[in-house]
DNA sequence: GTGGTCTAGACCACA
DNA sequence: GTGGTCTAGACCACA
């Protein structure tokens, strides 16, 4: 469930954040679940513990996970984002950017909507391919 | 039509590329249009000429613009992307990432589709607000 | 009267110390009162006995509680802090830090004084909410 | 204006954050001011650049400073906290904690209010002692 | 020159 | 054993 690609242009610590978000979507992670410890995950992924720690810190800032000192790191139980938060605005900007890019690639609205439908279908079918 | 934000996390040179793509979507730019010169645009935006040059270089690589020596830089007349190009795959990945982020923000498929519809509506109405 | 939050950034052993101090302010604890035993409290709060023991040790160092061997732990009867002790200096530093933080949050002196008045009012009314 | 104490129990990176907040209160820093670069400040304070970078990152998350890539770090021009933000709630909790500590140190409401008044007076007089 | 990312490794508080 | 802090130092994108 945790996989990172060190040659990607996306920083490793962001890939880990995405791994967790994706795990939530796929129900591989549910509130209360314990994440691997910083040291453990860094070994599994053959990366530096600091890099994992950075990911966990950001996930904590996002409110997605909670750290219990001396015990470990857990998926938050009561996570609920405020509407109109910075992140929702950021997501809207990303969508707008996608529309712009689609247009220049000669792809239209239907293409986008169909692709979104397909992505949701894949998740429901448990199709976990990248 | 060219606006950049130096504090954004998106590199300025990418913002310029986005400006051009957005101009195409809004029909502010059509094939054959002349772009401002590197020096001119760098003055207008108060940024380093190297940054503008980098944007134009990438736009040229993308096939979106053409440089005619001694005359200037123009929107390509015969631009048509290959299907299944790297960029379409990248766009699909961005869409998938958006679905993942939407889920963790408790936003569902309908929200995404409605937002996309809204973005297209805004562009059609000529509503150019950010 | 004893409540701890394992996800808080404040160590649990300090939260217990604060519980006792708060109990004194609210007159839930008065000199001579018996505190629960280390084992008892650790069970009630579902935390490690070592953590409770650490709290009691520090409260004893502060002079706030007294251990009577074989009988238990009690709120000190003759507690009176020396003026200008380390702790008073620490409290002054905290106040200064609060002033600095208030300013950067655009809150002024009146806000702080009103809030302090409100806190005292709440305690007098027996309003024990957090 | 930047001073850190490596023997303090407050992490160095937090001390730097406090330095900036304090500079704002004393008007040693005003919106638009450039902060020393990460490398520069790390040399001045004889600490590791990563530690300075961590401070700057958090100040950026707080919205107090803005990073302009390749140019440097600046005090935000349009900083205005949302009311009832997490930080204001945290400040209120700190105030409550101070009231509790004051009581156990036999200090009363008047002491706190007088001390706050004194702190503001000192800042107005330009008394920058710690 | 500027900040961002990452590795390697030490030491610490907390539970 | 758990995460938090810090140092030392490398490499990179951006302007």
């Amino acid at each position: 469930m945790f996989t990172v690609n060190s040659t990607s242009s996306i920083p490793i610590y962001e890939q880990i954040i995405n791994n967790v978000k994706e795990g939530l979507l796929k129900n591989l992670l549910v509130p209360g679940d314990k994440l691997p410890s910083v040291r453990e995950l860094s070994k599994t992924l053959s990366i530096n513990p600091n890099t994992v720690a950075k990911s966990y810190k950001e996930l904590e800032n996002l409110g997605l996970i909670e750290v219990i000192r001396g015990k470990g790191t857990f998926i938050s139980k009561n996570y609920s984002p405020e509407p109109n938060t910075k992140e929702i605005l950021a997501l809207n900007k990303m969508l707008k950017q996608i529309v712009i890019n689609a247009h220049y690639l000669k792809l239209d609205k239907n293409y986008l909507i169909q692709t979104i439908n397909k992505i949701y279908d894949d998740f429901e079918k448990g199709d976990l391919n990248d």
Side-chain angles (χ1 to χ4, degrees), chain A:
Chain A
M1 115 128 234
F2 283 99
T3 52
V4 295
N5 172 1
S6 56
T7 68
S8 162
S9 68
I10 300 172
I12 294 174
Y13 81 95
E14 279 190 21
Q15 295 182 46
I16 293 173
I17 292 171
N18 288 339
N19 281 166
V20 172
K21 289 179 181 173
E22 201 165 342
L24 286 171
L25 174 53
K26 291 172 179 168
N27 275 317
L28 300 179
L29 287 177
V30 295
D33 277 2
K34 189 173 187 306
L35 292 181
S37 79
V38 168
R39 283 163 176 77
E40 198 182 328
L41 187 52
S42 73
K43 269 187 198 159
T44 314
L45 298 176
S46 311
I47 60 177
N48 191 286
N50 286 337
T51 305
V52 178
K54 187 172 185 177
S55 310
Y56 279 18
K57 189 80 186 174
E58 277 218 15
L59 283 165
E60 195 189 357
N61 288 340
L62 290 173
L64 271 182
I65 67 176
E66 281 170 1
V67 174
I68 301 185
R69 235 198 327 270
K71 290 203 171 167
T73 305
F74 303 83
I75 301 291
S76 295
K77 287 199 169 153
N78 50 4
Y79 175 66
S80 62
E82 316 246 336
N84 271 328
T85 180
K86 253 189 284 183
E87 289 160 293
I88 294 181
L89 296 176
L91 185 137
N92 288 352
K93 279 208 169 177
M94 273 180 77
L95 266 180
K96 194 183 156 199
Q97 202 54 52
I98 279 188
V99 167
I100 291 170
N101 273 312
H103 177 264
Y104 118 81
L105 291 167
K106 314 281 190 202
L107 305 171
D108 62 7
K109 186 165 75 171
N110 284 335
Y111 174 84
L112 293 181
I113 290 177
Q114 279 168 28
T115 306
I116 285 178
N117 277 318
K118 191 175 167 311
I119 292 169
Y120 275 98
D121 285 353
D122 288 351
F123 281 130
E124 267 159 35
K125 281 186 213 146
D127 184 339
L128 312 182
N129 301 331
D130 250 58

